[in-house]
Amino acid sequence: MLASRDGGYSFIPSNQGFSTRQIVSYVADQQYPARIYVGVVNDKEWGGVFESENGGLTWAQKSAGLDGHDVVSLEQAPDGAIVAGTRHGVYRLEGNVWARVDKVDFSAAARRGAASRRNVRLRADPPGDPFDATVPSLARAGDTLYAATSDGLLSSYTAGVSWSLMPGLPRQPWNFVAASRGMIAVATLDSAMMSVNGGKHWVHVGLPPALTHIAGLAVDGAGGIWMGGLQGVFYSENEGATWQTLSSVTIKGVNSLYFDEGTQRMLITAD
């Protein structure tokens, strides 16, 4: 773990409380910025989530209720609760204990938009069957949460207490979701779709010709969509019709993109 005290211009190690763990997700408390959560993988009972109350100086495990699951995505709900995506469903932090979320609606009404698409096969879900999909990415725009899962794109208008399938998209595995204002983008490793009106209408996004696989996805709220991967970082202002690169900096091996709404800046990490 690295921490910055100057808005991302420089970083220093900050590992007191844990070490030798793979961190794959991060979220800062919007009300208390010094409170930070990170998700770690491949550590079973020693993994899950770690919390810092002092901006990353020290860390403490906060994984009660996760049943040893790796946490691969994190987001903060509109009510301040932290939501975690795992390889076995969604969890919501209630007090100091994580609670599994099983209110996920895959009903015919929720799937109506997807059913109208050609070549989309829909399947029924057994009543009471717990939601056990992988949730590799979470995003928030206003009061709405989005979850890219191995069983479709979900949305929540209840701070992550309940979820439903987003209409207008195939019910398929999605690796990434990004949202800002009314703009939403979802992607697999080699395809993407986006909406500029909160999910009412979706269009396919052409990928940068030089990009072999998507490793990072972000939207900037001003109509721009960003993608990163082995070949670098690319952005488009016309729904993927054309792509540009950053002329002032050369970055290869990009593995994540994050748009900071507060500072209106894009954070790029690379191998």
Side-chain angles (χ1 to χ4, degrees):
M1 169 64 69
L2 300 175
S4 175
R5 302 287 184 266
D6 53 14
Y9 289 99
S10 63
F11 290 84
I12 59 174
S14 179
N15 295 310
Q16 185 174 339
F18 68 87
S19 61
T20 66
R21 293 176 169 88
Q22 182 182 358
I23 299 170
V24 296
S25 53
Y26 160 94
V27 68
D29 192 307
Q30 294 185 0
Q31 188 172 0
Y32 305 102
R35 182 179 296 155
I36 303 169
Y37 301 85
V38 297
V40 300
V41 301
N42 300 325
D43 258 348
K44 297 183 179 179
E45 69 271 16
W46 301 110
V49 174
F50 281 76
E51 177 191 37
S52 174
E53 296 278 0
N54 51 23
L57 293 177
T58 59
W59 298 86
Q61 190 180 28
K62 203 177 192 75
S63 300
L66 286 174
D67 300 323
H69 294 318
D70 290 337
V71 172
V72 293
S73 56
L74 288 166
E75 188 54 88
Q76 186 171 33
D79 66 351
I82 303 300
V83 178
T86 75
R87 293 191 175 97
H88 295 278
V90 179
Y91 287 76
R92 191 173 185 273
L93 186 60
E94 299 179 357
N96 291 313
V97 178
W98 295 92
R100 183 166 179 165
V101 176
D102 281 326
K103 294 180 180 179
V104 181
D105 182 10
F106 288 103
S107 66
R111 292 180 287 159
R112 191 175 295 119
S116 66
R117 303 181 64 85
R118 294 184 303 168
N119 301 324
V120 175
R121 298 180 62 186
L122 300 177
R123 56 188 180 278
D125 295 280
D129 192 33
F131 179 66
D132 198 51
T134 299
V135 186
S137 182
L138 292 164
R140 174 186 166 189
D143 291 334
T144 307
L145 290 170
Y146 301 96
T149 82
S150 58
D151 206 5
L153 179 68
L154 307 180
S155 63
S156 173
Y157 304 96
T158 59
V161 175
S162 60
W163 298 78
S164 60
L165 188 69
M166 282 288 289
L169 287 168
R171 183 175 174 180
Q172 66 174 49
W174 296 103
N175 299 83
F176 309 96
V177 61
S180 180
R181 300 176 184 174
M183 191 173 180
I184 315 166
V186 293
T188 65
L189 298 180
D190 54 14
S191 67
M193 298 184 70
M194 68 177 292
S195 170
V196 295
N197 54 13
K200 295 178 182 177
H201 177 68
W202 294 88
V203 297
H204 288 276
V205 177
L207 304 190
L211 188 65
T212 54
H213 294 291
I214 301 171
L217 176 73
V219 295
D220 59 23
I225 180 170
W226 296 62
M227 292 184 186
L230 181 63
Q231 291 76 23
V233 60
F234 307 84
Y235 69 96
S236 172
E237 297 175 340
N238 51 17
E239 300 179 359
T242 59
W243 291 89
Q244 304 176 60
T245 58
L246 301 177
S247 58
S248 59
V249 58
T250 300
I251 304 175
K252 303 294 184 182
V254 173
N255 53 37
S256 72
L257 298 168
Y258 174 75
F259 179 65
D260 187 336
E261 291 270 6
T263 62
Q264 294 290 295
R265 293 192 299 179
M266 188 70 67
L267 176 65
I268 305 168
T269 64
D271 295 329

